[in-house]
């Protein structure tokens, strides 16, 4: 297992110890709280004299970084108004959440209506930036409901992600998390960005990251994902399966295994400045990668996954056939699902053409 003392470079682990550079936020979720209540929420001190003095100091209001938590149909997140990206995004998925009729072709990337425009990224920030719009709560985790899927396209759930990483390794990682619902009734996932310090030639450490667009959207150097899986009701002898991972925000080849990026949960906490799963007794958990192999799907299966998606989104019979022929030219044997999607779409276009011909007659 990797540790926070080993920095990532080129998809491999090298380096030295690093320290956290993030600080906690004020834990307020309501904007109409009194100064006294907000100060008590931050500090256990209840000295009346200090509280009265705090009211004088903060006469014109407490500096506000926005709500600590933002709630959606199928995810919850903490948003960084300065970096214009999430701090973390939490999900709870079951086998019922990942099946249904919701379709991403009906969803659109757009600003979160609950995030003030001055603190939001825009689609224009990503255009021609060289970075893709990477979901932290994946759209496919909300196939049960179109609204839930639409909300995953809010830019509050998005960050600048390496294009190859987004469509490759990270996508396979997300599919793995969904596959866990085949053996666990409940899967809890927390994902987010990290800025990992770099070491220069003189051995000095720096926090350095790119920003994109007019809104200076921060590009993370790494991404993290925490996964906790359990069966409900849980057998008293069956502990929660837990694992944490830190993945570089760069291309990662299919030769790399997920286990290479597993780290202690405390490493993610140290780098993010956040405590996770504080209601879970971690001393009684099992290593997820010990319970399960933590094996990602193969490149061939990923190709089948993308082919099915392309076929689903084909807007004409000609496009459908081109996608099918290009896929068959790769020499990959289609599975039953890909065949079903192709045949269904083919039939839909043929019926549409038949109706048009009937009208023209």
């Amino acid at each position: 297992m990797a540790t926070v003392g080993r920095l990532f470079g080129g998809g491999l682990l090298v380096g030295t110890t690093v320290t956290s550079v993030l600080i906690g936020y004020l834990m307020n979720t309501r904007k109409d709280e009194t100064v006294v209540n907000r100060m008590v929420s931050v500090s256990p001190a209840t000295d009346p004299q200090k509280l009265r003095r705090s009211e004088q100091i903060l006469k014109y209001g407490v500096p506000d970084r926005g709500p600590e938590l933002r709630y959606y149909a199928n995810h919850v997140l903490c948003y960084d108004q300065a970096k214009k990206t999430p701090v973390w995004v939490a999900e709870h998925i079951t086998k019922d959440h990942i099946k249904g009729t919701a379709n991403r072709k009906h969803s659109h990337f757009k600003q979160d209506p609950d995030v003030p425009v001055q603190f939001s990224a825009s689609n224009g920030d990503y255009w021609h930036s060289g970075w893709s719009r990477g979901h932290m709560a994946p759209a496919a985790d909300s196939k049960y409901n179109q609204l839930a899927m639409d909300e995953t396209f809010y830019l509050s759930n998005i960050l600048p992600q390496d294009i190859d990483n987004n469509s490759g390794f990270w996508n396979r990682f997300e599919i793995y998390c969904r596959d866990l619902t085949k053996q666990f009734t409940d899967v809890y996932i927390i994902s987010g960005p990290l800025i990992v310090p770099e070491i220069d030639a003189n051995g000095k450490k720096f926090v350095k990251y790119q920003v994109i667009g007019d809104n200076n959207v921060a590009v993370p150097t790494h991404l993290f994902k925490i996964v906790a899986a359990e069966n409900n009701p849980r057998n008293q002898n069956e502990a929660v399966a837990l694992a944490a991972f830190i993945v570089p925000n760069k291309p990662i080849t299919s030769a790399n295994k997920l286990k290479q990026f597993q780290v202690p949960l405390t490493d993610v906490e140290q780098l993010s400045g956040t405590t996770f799963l504080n209601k879970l007794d971690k001393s009684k958990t099992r290593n997820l990668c010990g319970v399960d192999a933590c094996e990602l799907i193969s490149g061939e299966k990923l190709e089948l996954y993308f082919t099915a998606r392309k076929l689903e989104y084909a807007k004409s019979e000609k496009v459908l056939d081109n996608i099918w022929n290009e896929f068959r030219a790769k020499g990959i044997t289609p599975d039953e699902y890909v065949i079903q999607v192709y045949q269904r779409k083919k039939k839909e276009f043929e019926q549409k053409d038949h109706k048009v011909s009937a009208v023209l007659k």
Side-chain angles (χ1 to χ4, degrees), residues 197-351:
E198 298 179 354
I199 303 174
D200 69 6
N202 297 319
K204 295 181 178 180
K205 291 188 289 186
F206 292 87
V207 174
K208 179 180 177 182
Y209 57 92
Q210 181 185 351
V211 296
I212 60 173
D214 293 338
N215 293 303
N216 296 320
V217 183
V219 180
T221 63
H222 296 71
L223 308 175
F224 73 84
K225 194 179 289 290
I226 300 164
V227 184
E230 66 179 0
N231 284 308
N232 188 23
R234 191 170 76 241
N235 185 306
Q236 291 185 345
N237 297 321
E238 184 181 30
V240 173
L242 175 67
F245 306 87
I246 296 178
V247 177
N249 190 12
K250 59 180 63 176
I252 299 175
T253 68
S254 58
N256 290 103
K257 305 298 183 183
L258 179 58
K259 287 182 180 180
Q260 292 177 241
F261 305 102
Q262 186 180 9
V263 298
L265 177 59
T266 51
D267 287 7
V268 180
E269 293 178 326
Q270 183 186 18
L271 283 168
S272 65
T274 306
T275 301
F276 296 103
L277 306 176
N278 58 359
K279 292 184 178 180
L280 175 65
D281 185 348
K282 301 180 193 61
S283 67
K284 296 181 180 180
T285 60
R286 300 176 292 168
N287 177 7
L288 175 63
C289 293
V291 177
D292 181 84
C294 282
E295 293 282 346
L296 303 184
I297 64 171
S298 66
E300 182 173 308
K301 288 186 177 180
L302 185 63
E303 183 67 37
L304 291 171
Y305 172 83
F306 276 121
T307 299
R309 179 187 289 185
K310 291 177 182 177
L311 292 170
E312 192 69 61
Y313 297 153
K315 295 183 178 181
S316 69
E317 186 172 7
K318 181 178 179 180
V319 172
L320 182 76
D321 288 334
N322 285 340
I323 295 171
W324 181 255
N325 292 333
E326 289 175 4
F327 167 69
R328 295 310 303 268
K330 295 178 181 180
I332 300 175
T333 302
D335 61 11
E336 183 178 350
Y337 179 68
V338 171
I339 294 173
Q340 288 177 350
V341 173
Y342 174 71
Q343 292 177 341
R344 174 171 53 79
K345 293 289 291 187
K346 187 78 170 177
K347 185 176 181 180
E348 289 176 3
F349 286 126
E350 289 174 348
Q351 290 175 340

Side-chain angles (χ1 to χ4, degrees), residues 96-261:
D96 293 326
H97 290 106
I98 61 175
K99 62 183 181 181
T101 59
N103 195 318
R104 61 187 295 141
K105 71 180 181 181
H106 302 306
S107 304
H108 305 282
F109 288 101
K110 58 184 178 181
Q111 292 180 322
D112 188 329
D114 289 332
V115 174
V117 174
Q118 72 180 113
F119 300 129
S120 175
S122 70
N123 284 317
D125 294 323
Y126 287 85
W127 293 338
H128 310 297
S129 69
W131 298 91
S132 68
R133 291 168 293 192
H135 286 73
M136 289 296 92
D141 286 4
S142 294
K143 287 188 68 66
Y144 78 103
N145 181 276
Q146 188 62 50
L147 172 62
M149 179 174 287
D150 290 346
E151 289 182 337
T152 67
F153 283 81
Y154 285 161
L155 294 180
S156 57
N157 179 50
I158 304 298
L159 51 73
Q161 188 172 3
D162 176 84
I163 296 174
D164 292 332
N165 184 297
N166 191 0
S167 62
F169 188 88
W170 192 258
N171 190 14
R172 293 164 63 208
F173 193 179
E174 293 171 338
I175 293 172
Y176 167 76
C177 291
R178 288 192 288 274
D179 283 345
L180 285 174
T181 62
K182 297 175 182 178
Q183 58 177 308
F184 297 98
T185 61
D186 299 87
V187 180
Y188 299 87
I189 307 164
I190 305 176
S191 309
L194 292 173
I195 306 295
V196 177
E198 298 179 354
I199 303 174
D200 69 6
N202 297 319
K204 295 181 178 180
K205 291 188 289 186
F206 292 87
V207 174
K208 179 180 177 182
Y209 57 92
Q210 181 185 351
V211 296
I212 60 173
D214 293 338
N215 293 303
N216 296 320
V217 183
V219 180
T221 63
H222 296 71
L223 308 175
F224 73 84
K225 194 179 289 290
I226 300 164
V227 184
E230 66 179 0
N231 284 308
N232 188 23
R234 191 170 76 241
N235 185 306
Q236 291 185 345
N237 297 321
E238 184 181 30
V240 173
L242 175 67
F245 306 87
I246 296 178
V247 177
N249 190 12
K250 59 180 63 176
I252 299 175
T253 68
S254 58
N256 290 103
K257 305 298 183 183
L258 179 58
K259 287 182 180 180
Q260 292 177 241
F261 305 102

Side-chain angles (χ1 to χ4, degrees), residues 7-22:
L7 298 182
F8 288 95
L12 299 178
L13 308 178
V14 297
T16 184
T17 55
V18 298
T19 58
S20 173
V21 296
L22 302 180

